[in-house]
Amino acid sequence: PRLNVVYTCTEDIEENGQILAYEIHSDGSLTEIGRVDAGGTSTCYLTIDRDHRHLIAVNYWDSSLVVIPLSKSTGEFNGPIQNIYDPRQGKAMLACAKKDGGANHSMNDECTIAARQVDPHSHALVLDPFEGCVAYVPDLGKDLVREFWYDETKGMIGCEFNVLPSGMSTGKPDGPRYFEFHPKFNVAYVVNELSSTVAVFSIDRELLSEIASATKMGLPMDKFKGRSTLKLIQSIKTVPSAFPTTMNTCGRICTHQSGRYVIVSNRGHESITIFRVKQGCGTKGKAMRGTLAQVGFFHTRGETPRHFQFDHSGQFLIVANQDSDTIAVFSFNLTSGEIRYTGNEYHIPSPNFICKSSNYLKIIMLI
């Protein structure tokens, strides 16, 4: 976050992923400055802790979580993996890869979902922005959000405090994909890939502070087991009610920098859904602060919008349409929350991710 360094990873279901670090030069070009083994397969998510001394990687296929030391001054790797957490506890995977007769994880039919949810599949790891001591991991395979203690001094993922459902527990699969904090309110959002929903959770700041204090004092963490810092307060659909959920999987979720909107991409419905964030306090009949109301659905001018990013001003939205090989640019109305296609489109082979650096808007592609 402080340096002109960007991190990316390879994704392979058979071989361990590789995590690469690149220096960003003044002309926008990149130079590789290091790479390390990710310690697991289908590496999908990277997080840097608050002190910028550790990178935490998530491996989707085998669900492992790993911590890698960083140089605070240069951003280079300071060594290989120093801590690893395996939620399968060494047990073999039950499902097989697509090339070996397994399911295509891009689909959303009953057979595919059954195969995807035989095993745990960690899809992201987000540290709480208040204390930096709790790691939230959406487990797409088990319809859970896992809460871990993270010791940033030691660079260690410790005990698992709690697990809780990522949605309304309707008996149908949810498939939590990403976890996003609101920048101002004590609220977090989980996008559920398989049920096309956003779950809204309130955050227990007092419990987070208690965990942080216990960490600083070196006290045992056992007393926090079974206690959750999250409470579900809303679940809302990301696609129109008449659109079949089996024809859609959610992609990215983010909160606009103003804190007034939450945005989700829909792969199948081929849309961006925009929600307005309620600003009230939940008194006198008003909706609870941080809950969502739908603004609208907007076509992305392409297929499979896997990722999107706002520019620095927050007034333009850039969408990566992976299966139509295009990047589409939309203007964003800060008052209404609506987007409008600008007519600007760029042909990029299978765009997977859009990364905004401190000085540039860079597009990182999976080709």
Side-chain angles (χ1 to χ4, degrees), residues 176-201:
R177 182 176 174 88
Y178 290 129
F179 191 100
E180 175 88 359
F181 280 95
H182 191 277
K184 300 176 183 177
F185 302 150
N186 296 328
V187 168
Y189 306 98
V190 173
V191 62
N192 287 303
E193 177 176 333
L194 305 181
S195 62
S196 296
T197 60
V198 174
V200 185
F201 292 90

Side-chain angles (χ1 to χ4, degrees), residues 75-254:
E76 295 175 275
F77 301 115
N78 261 354
I81 295 167
Q82 69 179 40
N83 177 251
I84 186 165
Y85 184 90
D86 178 11
R88 295 181 297 107
Q89 299 180 338
K91 295 179 181 178
M93 297 287 294
L94 298 176
C96 56
K98 180 183 175 182
K99 67 182 289 290
D100 298 320
N104 179 352
H105 283 215
S106 296
M107 306 299 290
N108 201 18
D109 57 274
E110 282 190 26
C111 291
T112 300
I113 290 172
R116 293 187 75 179
Q117 299 202 306
V118 167
D119 301 293
H121 289 297
S122 303
H123 207 290
L125 184 149
V126 178
L127 296 170
D128 80 87
F130 311 108
E131 306 288 350
C133 63
V134 174
Y136 299 91
V137 178
D139 184 338
L140 190 147
K142 296 301 178 184
D143 288 341
L144 298 171
V145 176
R146 302 181 184 273
E147 297 174 79
F148 294 92
W149 169 51
Y150 175 68
D151 187 333
E152 68 177 357
T153 301
K154 297 180 179 178
M156 180 183 73
I157 298 169
C159 64
E160 184 177 84
F161 290 137
N162 191 62
V163 297
L164 74 162
S166 64
M168 295 291 289
S169 299
T170 61
K172 296 181 179 180
D174 278 315
R177 182 176 174 88
Y178 290 129
F179 191 100
E180 175 88 359
F181 280 95
H182 191 277
K184 300 176 183 177
F185 302 150
N186 296 328
V187 168
Y189 306 98
V190 173
V191 62
N192 287 303
E193 177 176 333
L194 305 181
S195 62
S196 296
T197 60
V198 174
V200 185
F201 292 90
S202 61
I203 308 295
D204 188 338
R205 290 284 301 276
E206 290 185 6
L207 181 54
L208 281 174
S209 296
E210 190 178 342
I211 294 169
S213 296
T215 300
K216 292 174 183 176
M217 297 171 66
L219 299 177
M221 293 291 118
D222 291 347
K223 70 174 183 176
F224 298 110
K225 287 190 175 181
R227 299 172 66 184
S228 179
T229 60
L230 303 175
K231 180 182 178 181
L232 180 68
I233 58 176
Q234 186 190 21
S235 179
I236 188 169
K237 292 289 287 185
T238 70
V239 293
S241 57
F243 192 84
T245 302
T246 54
M247 294 178 64
N248 187 71
T249 59
C250 291
R252 190 188 182 209
I253 184 170
C254 85

